[in-house]
Amino acid sequence: MSVDFIGLIATQDGSESVPATTALIDPAYTARIARAHEDSGFDQVLIGYSSAYPDGAQVAAYAAAHTTTLKYLVAHRPGFVAPTLAARTFATLDHFTGGRVTLNIITGGHDVEQRRDGDYLTKDDRYARTGEYLSVLRQAWTSDSPFSFEGRFYRFEDFVSQVRPVHGTIPLYFSGSSAAAYATGVQHADVHMFWGEPLAQIEEQISAVRAAADAAGRPYPRFSVSFRPILGPTEELAWERAHSILGRIGAVSAPRFFRNRDRDNPANVGSRRLLAAAAGGDRHDRALWTATARASGAAGNSTALVGTPDTVARALLDYYDLGVTTFLIRGYDPLDDAVDYGRELIPSVRAEVARRDAERLVVAAG
């Protein structure tokens, strides 16, 4: 069972613990960090979404022009453009990148952030709208004859697109840890994404998504978990670096993308789950460290895996054993960490997964 690695790129350097030194849109840095991920063996990179940040589709187009194999997981919020337009936009981008586009559907967990773009729907209504949106998106990519749609949020007649994705459709990645997220995700998503929680909690979420899929009569999606690996040549040096990073979180003027909008009372369930894990202790399982999530108010994927490349690889494989086949890993030092992950961490995990697959084939043949 193969494993995929996703990184994260932005048009500006910096993170929660490292101040930005480039302009908000720095073409040279954007190309450099994209190439670094490709050279390091990543399958894809996420391009995040913020009401204040550059448009992800255009960032993907630029970065793809400077790489050859790397795929681009573009974060996209339903509700701000018509799904028929989005279908054409991403199918067009898919062609110009040679079939290297995937979509991360962000329903939106922060009311304040949604309202910055003019969205005043409640969270439950946003999930209902997302369901309609994705139904239209899929049909627009696959229908070869005009179709009409009349729902609660969208209505149109006789639509047909002449531009289709390179491979017939575009994979959809979905996130969310609420019952509404599970119910919507299993109807449409190829991959359900979680932030990095302790093993028992990830196993619990996987079971909940599978139960929702069973109830809906849908196949199980694949699963992804996101972490912030902090590596060192020894355990002691890895933890020394981890505490140095922790001390800088909140002490630098982080780019707006990395700031928690409601850190004292996060609206989204995912952030609340990370803070609950942190309240139960800083260290969990083999290498999971939640102190960084607490320090940042659980702004996005903010939990770390700390240790040598071997320790962190084995920690990732613990999640693989639960059924996780995709890992989104990004560092607190974004560019340098991407390079470091490619030296030992990614090859180590891939080698062990290949060894297990070969062993299973031998057992099956015997």
Side-chain angles (χ1 to χ4, degrees), residues 120-132:
Y120 286 82
L121 292 183
T122 65
K123 183 177 179 180
D124 286 345
D125 282 345
R126 290 199 294 267
Y127 275 111
R129 179 181 61 192
T130 293
E132 286 191 13

Side-chain angles (χ1 to χ4, degrees), residues 45-77:
V45 286
L46 172 66
I47 299 171
Y49 186 103
S50 164
S51 62
Y53 254 47
D55 178 71
Q58 295 185 59
V59 175
Y62 180 82
H66 292 80
T67 54
T68 57
T69 61
L70 191 67
K71 295 181 181 179
Y72 293 88
L73 178 59
V74 182
H76 177 67
R77 281 185 187 165

Side-chain angles (χ1 to χ4, degrees), residues 17 34 43 64 130 136-137 148 171 243-244 248 272 275 289 307 316 359:
S17 62
D43 299 283
T130 293
V136 173
L137 204 62
S148 301
H243 285 287
S244 174
R248 297 196 305 271
R272 294 201 298 268
L275 292 177
W289 194 44
L316 291 173
E359 188 175 79

Side-chain angles (χ1 to χ4, degrees), residues 49-349:
Y49 186 103
S50 164
S51 62
Y53 254 47
D55 178 71
Q58 295 185 59
V59 175
Y62 180 82
H66 292 80
T67 54
T68 57
T69 61
L70 191 67
K71 295 181 181 179
Y72 293 88
L73 178 59
V74 182
H76 177 67
R77 281 185 187 165
F80 301 113
V81 299
T84 50
L85 172 58
R88 300 194 304 278
T89 296
F90 291 113
T92 302
L93 178 61
D94 197 46
H95 276 273
F96 279 116
T97 62
R100 291 190 282 148
V101 173
T102 56
L103 287 186
N104 179 24
I105 301 301
I106 308 294
T107 297
H110 301 273
D111 289 344
V112 172
E113 168 69 2
Q114 294 295 122
R115 289 169 186 167
R116 287 176 179 143
D117 271 332
D119 183 14
Y120 286 82
L121 292 183
T122 65
K123 183 177 179 180
D124 286 345
D125 282 345
R126 290 199 294 267
Y127 275 111
R129 179 181 61 192
T130 293
E132 286 191 13
Y133 193 95
L134 296 182
S135 293
V136 173
L137 204 62
R138 289 286 200 195
Q139 192 168 359
W141 285 333
T142 58
S143 178
D144 57 6
S145 59
F147 68 97
S148 301
F149 184 89
E150 184 168 355
R152 180 180 166 196
F153 301 95
Y154 299 102
R155 178 184 177 185
F156 56 84
E157 298 177 3
D158 295 329
F159 173 81
V160 65
S161 175
Q162 297 301 311
V163 54
R164 313 286 174 76
V166 172
H167 303 296
T169 190
I170 291 175
L172 297 179
Y173 290 63
F174 198 84
S175 57
S177 298
S178 66
Y182 299 154
T184 302
V186 298
Q187 292 290 342
H188 306 281
D190 300 289
V191 181
H192 198 105
M193 307 179 77
F194 305 117
W195 288 336
E197 297 182 30
L199 289 163
Q201 280 67 56
I202 292 296
E203 185 172 27
E204 170 191 280
Q205 290 215 72
I206 288 174
S207 295
V209 171
R210 286 175 171 169
D214 288 337
R218 299 286 297 168
Y220 296 154
R222 302 190 306 279
F223 296 101
S224 172
V225 181
S226 303
F227 298 104
R228 310 292 290 273
I230 299 174
L231 306 180
T234 66
E235 296 295 324
E236 293 77 12
L237 289 173
W239 282 104
E240 181 180 317
R241 181 175 176 232
H243 285 287
S244 174
I245 290 169
L246 181 64
R248 297 196 305 271
I249 292 177
V252 301
S253 180
R256 183 177 190 137
F257 180 82
F258 297 108
R259 299 175 195 163
N260 195 338
R261 309 167 189 90
D262 51 6
R263 60 172 297 137
D264 295 327
N265 184 28
N268 69 86
V269 175
S271 290
R272 294 201 298 268
R273 289 180 67 99
L274 293 189
L275 292 177
D282 285 348
R283 298 179 67 165
H284 303 262
D285 304 319
R286 190 187 300 271
L288 183 67
W289 194 44
T290 57
T292 46
R294 184 177 60 252
S296 66
N301 62 308
S302 48
T303 51
L305 293 174
V306 182
T308 64
D310 179 67
T311 294
V312 174
R314 286 186 286 124
L316 291 173
L317 289 163
D318 291 338
Y319 289 89
Y320 178 82
D321 290 336
L322 298 180
V324 176
T325 57
T326 298
F327 295 104
L328 194 160
I329 54 173
R330 64 184 179 103
Y332 284 99
D333 296 301
L335 180 58
D336 290 344
D337 283 338
V339 174
D340 287 344
Y341 298 158
R343 288 197 182 103
E344 295 183 76
L345 180 59
I346 292 174
S348 179
V349 174

